[in-house]
Amino acid sequence: MYPFLHRLCRTLILSFGLSLTSAAAAEVPAFDSNTSGLLFTLHGSNTIGAQLAPNLIRNYLATKGARNIRSTPLGTINEQRIQADVGNQAVFIDIAAHGSSTGFKGLEQSRADIAMASRPIKAAEWVLLNRLGDMRSNRAEHVIAIDGIAIIVHSDNPVKHLTLQQIAAVFSGDIRNWSQVGGHRGHIRVYARNNQSGTWDTFKSLVLGKDYSLIENAERFESNDQLSDRVAADLNGIGFVGLASIRHARAIAVSHQDTQPQAPVHLTIATEDYPLSRRLFLYTPVHSLKPAAEEFLYFVQSEAGQEQVKTTGFISQTPISIKPASTREGPEDYLALTQHAERLSINFRFAEGNATLDNKAQQDIQRLAKYMKKPKNRDRQLLLIGFGDEKASAERSIVLSKLRALTVRSALHHHQVNTAPVQGFGAYLPVASNNSKAKIKNRRVEVWLL
């Protein structure tokens, strides 16, 4: 009976254009005592599959009333089985974490029920998986956490900040000595993830682009943690890892051209203002998803699931408020508006090429509505401030930024959440260079709590 009810619930939710996260029913019923065997499989990103997915699965199984939850290696590195007891039966979930691209191959070959990815689905993968439905729709693409790719160095390295251009030059070999970027004299040794890794795909896209190639003698790793430990032991080393794998190394601040350096901290990553922030995804077929996998998705997007995201070392999508720094930059009107407000850890962004809220933003609308209905926030008001990239005129940029804020306001009104009059400040306070393809990140709506 339960699988039927969950499928019915999902159908009703999706028929009203809402994301799965709108179901506060992240509470899941106990397993039937006759449940046994393989529940579902996950293939893909090592960033997700090394620790986050196993931790979420353990929590999910515990929520379902399973006992004696344990992890067993499957004989191949980065593969494991999470097993538990239900009555006198055993249930299990298998994880193979060999890189994001292997997740989409697993879906295509019907060997995986869920693909783990630390970067968005590529166009070729989207075409290949067309038979499973629109894999870019909110029925298939589930943002489960925010991560930052940390540029890491040895803890005693004096370099505190690098631009994206300097990082590209270091990893391509154009810069080979630390003294060229303000550090001690020493030959730079480069460590990088392997070609199957979504972390590598994201780094290559955000840093190297089409103008740079990774230096040939870079040492490559399948595991974030192994790479981090190697850098932590090498005074002249530099590498990149997911946020949860900084470990004993030190992360440096990063900046785009003409922007302020940003350290990979909670607010800058949660709002995706940090230049190397990224989303972590689960991808599922639009149709014919196994009931247990569907329940797992509900759990991951719940507050309990997001709490595990935080505990594992990634950035939860549950909103938190943060008081602004005493020294800030921006237009005088912006500073005055936000002087006594608190910044929320949400930025709303839009689907590329149009004014539609993207899949994460649709989830965040529901999270924010739930957040504002908590007793402590019932007498407080939201302030929405739009920003954008440079246009032909400053006036046009301001108008478009205000329209973005109005789009968010309209979506919140559907959830009976009222806001203060929206504001738009155009191309002020860019978080990415307006001369790069990353300028789309400047098209955002900040959320402040008055």
Side-chain angles (χ1 to χ4, degrees):
M1 179 177 71
Y2 286 127
F4 168 75
L5 289 175
H6 276 276
R7 284 195 294 272
L8 177 61
C9 179
R10 186 175 194 262
T11 301
L12 290 172
I13 290 167
L14 295 174
S15 69
F16 284 99
L18 300 178
S19 159
L20 285 174
T21 56
S22 65
E27 303 170 2
V28 290
F31 282 119
D32 185 284
S33 59
N34 293 321
T35 304
S36 64
L38 177 66
L39 298 177
F40 55 89
T41 60
L42 299 95
H43 287 196
S45 167
N46 176 263
T47 299
I48 299 172
Q51 296 181 27
L52 180 56
N55 289 346
L56 287 167
I57 288 168
R58 291 185 190 99
N59 285 177
Y60 162 71
L61 291 172
T63 302
K64 293 282 289 180
R67 298 173 291 103
N68 191 22
I69 301 168
R70 66 266 188 198
S71 176
T72 305
L74 288 177
T76 301
I77 191 169
N78 294 323
E79 294 188 12
Q80 60 181 299
R81 170 170 293 173
I82 310 298
Q83 193 167 350
D85 297 331
V86 177
N88 295 320
Q89 310 288 338
V91 298
F92 61 94
I93 296 166
D94 286 347
I95 304 171
H98 299 294
S100 297
S101 62
T102 65
F104 296 110
K105 290 176 184 175
L107 288 180
E108 192 270 331
Q109 296 168 358
S110 300
R111 295 172 55 236
D113 300 297
I114 299 175
M116 306 175 290
S118 53
R119 45 91 174 159
I121 188 170
K122 296 178 180 179
E125 293 164 339
W126 179 78
V127 171
L128 188 66
L129 295 174
N130 242 358
R131 64 182 176 81
L132 303 180
D134 181 0
M135 297 299 290
R136 289 186 176 132
S137 71
N138 64 2
R139 302 185 187 195
E141 182 185 80
H142 315 279
V143 180
I144 64 166
I146 306 297
D147 186 22
I149 294 182
I151 305 300
I152 56 170
V153 297
H154 189 278
S155 59
D156 292 334
N157 190 318
V159 174
K160 307 295 183 186
H161 157 239
L162 291 173
T163 66
L164 287 177
Q165 292 77 14
Q166 288 174 318
I167 296 168
V170 166
F171 278 84
S172 66
D174 287 356
I175 293 176
R176 292 177 179 264
N177 198 290
W178 283 110
S179 61
Q180 295 175 260
V181 289
H184 56 260
R185 291 197 63 80
H187 185 77
I188 298 172
R189 281 187 285 272
V190 173
Y191 302 95
R193 293 291 308 282
N194 66 13
N195 287 334
Q196 297 297 316
S197 161
T199 307
W200 161 247
D201 281 340
T202 302
F203 179 85
K204 184 169 63 173
S205 173
L206 295 180
V207 178
L208 298 179
K210 296 180 180 178
D211 297 327
Y212 295 92
S213 297
L214 184 68
I215 190 170
E216 289 185 2
N217 65 355
E219 190 171 347
R220 310 296 293 273
F221 295 81
E222 184 174 71
S223 165
N224 272 311
D225 289 350
Q226 290 177 0
L227 188 158
S228 182
D229 290 346
R230 186 66 64 86
V231 172
D234 185 352
L235 184 61
N236 290 320
I238 188 170
F240 58 89
V241 294
L243 187 67
S245 295
I246 294 173
R247 293 162 70 86
H248 303 297
R250 178 173 59 79
I252 61 174
V254 178
S255 67
H256 273 278
Q257 179 183 3
D258 303 323
T259 66
Q260 291 296 310
Q262 305 266 12
V265 297
H266 189 286
L267 181 64
T268 63
I269 296 174
T271 59
E272 301 177 273
D273 289 347
Y274 173 64
L276 299 180
S277 61
R278 61 172 178 174
R279 300 173 178 188
L280 300 183
F281 303 87
L282 297 180
Y283 284 89
T284 59
V286 174
H287 311 293
S288 305
L289 187 60
K290 290 180 178 177
E294 198 162 340
E295 284 185 339
F296 176 67
L297 290 177
Y298 276 88
F299 173 78
V300 171
Q301 300 289 21
S302 72
E303 288 192 13
Q306 290 298 299
E307 183 63 26
Q308 181 55 249
V309 166
K310 182 175 72 173
T311 300
T312 303
F314 296 101
I315 300 300
S316 162
Q317 298 175 95
T318 302
I320 66 169
S321 62
I322 299 172
K323 292 183 179 179
S326 55
T327 56
R328 297 184 295 137
E329 294 187 1
E332 289 184 10
D333 289 348
Y334 171 79
L335 296 177
L337 279 167
T338 58
Q339 183 177 4
H340 301 296
E342 295 176 5
R343 178 83 181 271
L344 290 186
S345 58
I346 289 176
N347 269 1
F348 287 100
R349 286 188 164 86
F350 300 81
E352 189 167 358
N354 61 55
T356 305
L357 291 171
D358 67 15
N359 289 341
K360 173 172 165 50
Q362 292 176 45
Q363 293 177 336
D364 285 341
I365 287 289
Q366 298 164 63
R367 288 193 176 97
L368 186 53
K370 185 176 180 179
Y371 178 81
M372 291 305 294
K373 289 172 183 175
K374 292 184 176 182
K376 67 177 183 178
N377 296 323
R378 284 178 182 164
D379 295 327
R380 306 187 74 179
Q381 196 173 31
L382 292 176
L383 172 63
L384 305 174
I385 301 178
F387 291 91
D389 53 325
E390 291 179 345
K391 299 298 180 185
S393 69
E395 291 78 11
R396 175 170 171 75
S397 182
I398 289 171
V399 168
L400 288 174
S401 67
K402 194 168 184 177
L403 286 173
R404 292 187 184 99
L406 285 169
T407 298
V408 175
R409 182 187 186 187
S410 176
L412 287 169
H413 281 188
H414 284 297
H415 292 269
Q416 292 77 50
V417 177
N418 294 318
T419 69
V422 302
Q423 303 291 326
F425 287 97
Y428 283 103
L429 295 177
V431 296
S433 171
N434 279 307
N435 297 317
S436 72
K437 65 179 183 180
K439 68 181 182 180
I440 190 173
K441 292 187 72 172
N442 294 327
R443 304 168 193 169
R444 68 197 191 277
V445 176
E446 290 183 359
V447 185
W448 293 77
L449 192 61
L450 300 176

